[in-house]
Amino acid sequence: MISEFIFTKILGWKLVGDFPRHHKKYIVIGAPHTSWKDFPIAILARNTAGIPINFIGKDSLFKPPFGFIFRKLGGAPVDRSKSNNLVDAIVAVFNSREEFRLALSPEGTRERVEKWKTGFYFIAKGANVPIVMFAFDFKNKEIKVAEPYYLTDNMEADFDHFFSFYKDIISAKPEYFNNENLL
């Protein structure tokens, strides 16, 4: 497969762990998201794993001349200028499909943030699906994939679990990743 060749042989990355194949529905949270390089590396890792995972992105990415590429890669545009309930809309998508995996960046941007956005958490809660953590470790050129995590009724404990997975990850731009407090 061409993606695997590019990912492993040309770029020198490796996949540590694997996406769950027996789960038909889950949310993948990809972090730290600090560089434009994260997206193509994530697509190559997904293709190397051979499992369909969709993503959403700001609607401007899906406009001509290159918008068709993002759609072909499994993306769907989101209009962030409108005040709509994106969490409920995505929960409805999960509930209407037999198989759906959605990748999101909990940071919501490539810039440094003090706290993660919580939409992914409430989508997982509403759709009753687990979260699979996905880390961009640029220091070791590894994509690390965790086992599915089922949310508890304690949001703080859940975010502590996420923090423990990401705390030692070195991103493309380490100064942009807040690895001290996610909630």
Side-chain angles (χ1 to χ4, degrees), residues 68-81:
F68 75 95
I69 295 170
F70 290 102
R71 281 188 177 80
K72 186 79 171 155
L73 291 172
V78 174
D79 183 354
R80 297 192 300 190
S81 67

Side-chain angles (χ1 to χ4, degrees), residues 2 13 19 26-27 31-32 58-59 62 69 74 85 91 100 102 106 115 117 121 140 153 156 160 168 176:
I2 190 83
W13 283 74
F19 295 100
Y26 51 86
I27 291 178
K58 58 185 174 182
D59 59 346
F62 294 85
I69 295 170
N85 194 333
V91 167
F100 188 64
L102 179 64
K115 305 216 182 283
K117 295 185 178 294
Y121 184 86
N140 299 305
D153 288 327
E156 190 173 321
D160 285 345
D168 295 324
Y176 284 12

Side-chain angles (χ1 to χ4, degrees), residues 28-32 104 106 116 131-136 144 146 159-170 177-179 182:
V28 177
I29 56 170
L104 298 168
W116 278 6
I131 291 175
V132 174
M133 294 171 287
F134 174 98
F136 298 96
K144 296 179 179 179
F159 272 76
D160 285 345
H161 178 79
F162 304 145
F163 174 70
S164 69
F165 181 76
Y166 289 105
K167 70 179 173 128
D168 295 324
I169 300 297
I170 305 298
F177 183 49
N178 174 14
N179 61 353
L182 304 178

Side-chain angles (χ1 to χ4, degrees), residues 4 10 26 28 34 40 49-50 109 120 157 161-162 174 176 183:
E4 185 175 2
I10 294 176
Y26 51 86
V28 177
T34 63
T109 182
F120 76 92
H161 178 79
F162 304 145
Y176 284 12
L183 183 61

